[in-house]
Amino acid sequence: MKLLKYIANLGYGSRREVTAMLQQRRVRRRDGSILREGDGFSHDDVRIDDAPLDVAQGVVLMLHKPVGFVCSTTDASRLIYELLPGRFTARSPIIAPIGRLDRDTSGLLLLTDDGQVNHRVSSPKARRPKVYEATLASDVRADDVKIFASGTLMLDGESSALEAAILEIVDARHVRVTVTEGRYHQVRRMFAAVGNHVESLHRTSIGGHQLGDLAAGAWRALEPDEVARLLSSV
Ligand code: URA
């Protein structure tokens, strides 16, 4: 790909704006030599205003989504994109969430600009385990463990039963739930189906990839070996 298009696709500006950046000699190599349209280049060698380029295309990011942010590009509420560098919304292809977390749920959200990776991680067929920690309004019942594990639990308004899920009781009002599907508001509706109510919900891992100690609102790019492990997990 030519330099101008490459930089424009990373969200640095329109083609016209990037043309101006090149003319103004703001695009250089690491050694300070000026880059011109038509020159060969490698991502890591390019500097704009002396700064390295943003993360290259084909990236997977992890974000610690706080409560109150919506996984959308357009909504009246606060958007997850506010937590990422502003240029990221101008990238082509855009970095999109892999699955979603609802506004009131916090925790691990993966994002990518690679459609194939998105499909492979989020595909229901892959059955990648997603782990949530929930605080409940009423004490959890021991029976709920069996009901969640039964593979027969029906959610209101749905025509097929949920796959078996693992419910671990941390204490009377705190549980850990592992699900392999991604139905709309699934965990909240599972507890509604057994007469309880989720007061707070937090995702800690997807396909074995852990949120770890990433601070609320922070993000980072996954290393290639982390992406490979995520894709091979089931
Ligand atoms: N289940 C929910 O209820 N909400 C989420 O955001 C994810 C799983």
Side-chain angles (χ1 to χ4, degrees):
M1 194 185 296
K2 293 272 184 65
L3 183 62
L4 196 158
K5 185 163 190 254
Y6 190 84
I7 293 174
N9 283 355
L10 288 176
Y12 282 86
S14 64
R15 286 184 180 226
R16 181 190 290 238
E17 286 163 338
V18 176
T19 302
M21 289 164 81
L22 288 162
Q23 284 166 351
Q24 290 156 5
R25 304 175 163 210
R26 293 167 57 196
V27 186
R28 296 177 181 241
R29 294 190 194 276
R30 198 195 306 243
D31 66 7
S33 58
I34 292 157
L35 269 166
R36 297 187 174 78
E37 178 61 346
D39 287 348
F41 63 95
S42 71
H43 181 94
D44 291 344
D45 195 33
V46 179
R47 298 286 179 275
I48 296 181
D49 298 332
D50 296 325
L53 290 179
D54 292 339
V55 63
Q57 289 190 346
V59 70
V60 180
L61 307 181
M62 63 184 279
L63 170 71
H64 183 159
K65 185 186 111 45
V67 165
F69 287 80
V70 173
C71 298
S72 161
T73 48
T74 51
D75 196 281
S77 322
R78 303 196 70 184
L79 308 178
I80 51 163
Y81 288 102
E82 291 176 37
L83 302 165
L84 300 171
R87 266 199 299 271
F88 280 20
T89 46
R91 286 170 70 120
S92 175
I94 192 163
I95 298 177
I98 303 178
R100 278 163 200 270
L101 285 178
D102 64 52
R103 195 188 55 190
D104 296 328
T105 302
S106 59
L108 176 61
L109 184 69
L110 297 173
L111 303 101
T112 186
D113 54 4
D114 184 323
Q116 282 193 339
V117 170
N118 198 324
H119 179 73
R120 282 180 63 187
V121 176
S122 60
S123 165
K125 286 188 197 142
R127 295 196 165 72
R128 288 182 212 290
K130 291 176 279 247
V131 184
Y132 295 86
E133 286 175 4
T135 309
L136 304 174
S138 310
D139 288 0
V140 64
R141 295 174 315 170
D143 270 5
D144 296 341
V145 175
K146 274 194 219 143
I147 296 172
F148 279 21
S150 68
T152 60
L153 182 64
M154 291 290 290
L155 295 182
D156 203 23
E158 301 222 355
S159 54
S160 62
L162 288 176
E163 288 184 5
I166 302 168
L167 174 61
E168 295 166 82
I169 299 175
V170 178
D171 63 40
R173 302 263 171 117
H174 294 101
V175 292
R176 191 171 303 115
V177 189
T178 305
V179 300
T180 51
E181 298 168 280
R183 300 199 201 184
Y184 181 68
H185 288 187
Q186 180 169 336
V187 177
R188 293 176 195 277
R189 290 165 71 213
M190 286 168 78
F191 282 99
V194 294
N196 210 325
H197 176 77
V198 170
E199 297 212 308
S200 72
L201 188 61
H202 179 77
R203 182 157 68 190
T204 57
S205 88
I206 300 173
H209 184 81
Q210 306 287 334
L211 177 63
D213 56 9
L214 192 68
W219 66 276
R220 73 168 173 86
L222 264 55
E223 300 295 336
D225 64 311
E226 293 178 304
V227 176
R229 257 185 276 131
L230 180 68
L231 290 174
S232 64
S233 72
V234 274

